Amino acid sequence: MSAIGTADAVLRLLLDGQPRTRAELIERSGLARSTVTGRIEALLAEGLVVPSGEAASTGGRPPARFRFNPTARLVLAADVGATHLSVALTDLTGAILHRTTSRLAIAEGPEVVLDAVAAAGQALLQEAGRSRTDLAGTGVGLPGPVEHSTGRPNHPPIMPGWDSYDVVGRLRRELPGPVLVDNDVNIMALGEHATAYPDVEHLLFVKVATGIGAGVISGGRLHRGAQGAAGDIGHIQAPGHTELCRCGNTGCLEAIASAAALASKLGRETSQDIVDLVRAGNAEATTAIRQAGREIGTVLAAAVSLLNPSVIVVGGSLAQAGDSLLAGLRETVYARSLPLATTDLRVVPSRTGRDAALLGAAALVVAHTLS
């Protein structure tokens, strides 16, 4: 077992950044002095803990203090979207140190996209002046269902050539450490929860972008479902609609309320085009995005009754358009859900914004590394 694994009990006490003496760690952990001493030595050897001065003396030699060193290792986080790729280096608290974003279509296929992820990661390490051996691992969010145990996409509707592709194996050929892969909305939910709502046990993160999906935090933990498809609300049928969806079904929420659907309706190309129209005061775009919020709210009302979250966080590119989307969503969620389920329910915009997926991908690796 690695030193990280054997030292976790002591390390957990230091993750808040507060320097502590050996005596304080013994008292708080309940472990024997020899055990704590051994674990501190292991953590010092790994670089995960460093000396942090001395505490006030109560007689005799002042006791040494130790603190967590978040820059001992780095994490590579990748947010692979339908039309973009963002890659970042973070420390072991998940704080973003360096990043890069480029336009890249997921439809280019796994070889092209994952080559770009690996190349961006190596460039960021060079920019940071760090070596490959400093990398604790890599977290990746993909815009489709993922079998989390293997990291393989599972029949993703907008990812031609990706089904069952060995994403983990491909990236590990060029990047050291574990590679953890998940659906992008799950990753965003993790990022929002870890960063903005760590004490909230029941949270629903809704991404409204090229597609529509939800990440479910229940009991403080991410709920993925049996095959990693939990939260795929974009393919629930919206009442009264028969539009053809790219998944092959008709009336899917994604076919009527996603950025792709609105762009087609408004004669635009991207979600950013729609956001720009709304911010410029375009009445047609504002009306369309508010109606999209109502349609999404109708489906979310069922999720509220089923899951009873205390917070619904709305993120994704269309959420950048301001209050119109949220207003429409709130309108139907509160009207169609039972009062008991909405008494303390908050429907709010994402606090992490465009960084949600990067923060979540980092959080996935940090939790794995420090466990």
Side-chain angles (χ1 to χ4, degrees):
M1 185 179 293
S2 73
I4 292 175
T6 59
D8 63 307
V10 172
L11 181 59
R12 281 196 299 270
L13 292 172
L14 295 169
L15 290 180
D16 61 3
Q18 179 70 35
R20 292 190 172 89
T21 65
R22 186 178 283 102
E24 289 171 329
L25 292 170
I26 292 169
E27 180 182 356
R28 288 172 177 264
S29 69
L31 297 172
R33 175 177 293 275
S34 59
T35 301
V36 170
T37 297
R39 294 188 177 185
I40 289 174
E41 292 302 319
L43 288 165
L44 287 167
E46 290 280 352
L48 290 170
V49 163
V50 293
S52 184
E54 297 175 335
S57 174
T58 56
R61 183 178 177 181
R65 295 190 300 183
F66 305 93
R67 65 171 176 83
F68 175 54
N69 177 21
T71 60
R73 301 284 168 76
L74 299 177
V75 172
L76 187 65
D79 168 24
V80 183
T83 58
H84 77 274
L85 170 64
S86 294
V87 183
L89 275 182
T90 82
D91 65 17
L92 290 177
T93 68
I96 295 174
L97 306 176
H98 302 273
R99 74 169 82 207
T100 181
T101 298
S102 59
R103 291 191 64 79
L104 181 63
I106 193 74
E108 292 286 338
E111 290 294 334
V112 171
V113 172
L114 297 177
D115 277 351
V117 171
Q122 291 164 353
L124 289 174
L125 280 170
Q126 186 174 16
E127 179 183 338
R130 303 289 289 267
S131 71
R132 285 163 43 88
T133 57
D134 292 326
L135 200 62
T138 301
V140 181
L142 295 176
V146 172
E147 185 180 57
H148 180 65
S149 60
T150 64
R152 294 176 183 262
N154 190 352
H155 297 93
I158 65 167
M159 299 169 61
W162 286 81
D163 186 32
S164 296
Y165 187 86
D166 185 10
V167 176
V168 173
R170 172 66 189 83
L171 288 177
R172 289 198 67 178
R173 292 206 299 266
E174 297 185 55
L175 300 169
V179 176
L180 304 177
V181 186
D182 209 333
N183 170 268
D184 61 348
V185 189
N186 285 345
I187 290 284
M188 294 172 84
L190 282 174
E192 188 77 22
H193 184 250
T195 305
Y197 298 97
D199 299 322
V200 172
E201 294 235 326
H202 305 283
L203 177 147
L204 198 61
F205 186 98
V206 181
K207 176 189 176 185
V208 188
T210 303
I212 298 174
V216 182
I217 302 290
S218 181
R221 300 172 64 87
L222 180 66
H223 175 68
R224 294 186 174 92
Q227 275 79 42
D232 195 3
I233 63 171
H235 298 286
I236 294 175
Q237 186 173 29
H241 287 275
T242 59
E243 291 89 335
L244 180 65
C245 181
R246 57 189 170 183
C247 75
N249 286 329
T250 58
C252 291
L253 182 64
E254 193 169 290
I256 61 174
S258 67
L262 294 185
S264 177
K265 179 180 179 180
L266 296 169
R268 304 289 165 161
E269 293 186 2
T270 68
S271 56
Q272 188 59 49
D273 293 337
I274 300 167
V275 171
D276 291 342
L277 282 175
V278 172
R279 288 177 174 173
N282 183 281
E284 183 183 11
T286 301
T287 299
I289 202 168
R290 180 156 186 158
Q291 181 58 31
R294 293 189 186 103
E295 300 287 0
I296 296 168
T298 299
V299 170
L300 281 182
V304 167
S305 295
L306 182 66
L307 301 170
N308 191 201
S310 55
V311 180
I312 296 176
V313 179
V314 183
S317 55
L318 275 192
Q320 309 299 317
D323 294 335
S324 298
L325 183 70
L326 274 174
L329 198 153
R330 288 176 178 138
E331 183 181 323
T332 47
V333 165
Y334 287 117
R336 299 182 66 91
S337 301
L338 290 174
L340 180 61
T342 58
T343 299
D344 298 313
L345 176 65
R346 290 177 286 162
V347 181
V348 297
S350 169
R351 294 184 190 175
T352 55
R354 297 183 186 275
D355 289 340
L358 291 175
L359 293 169
L364 201 63
V365 177
V366 169
H368 177 82
T369 301
L370 299 184
S371 65

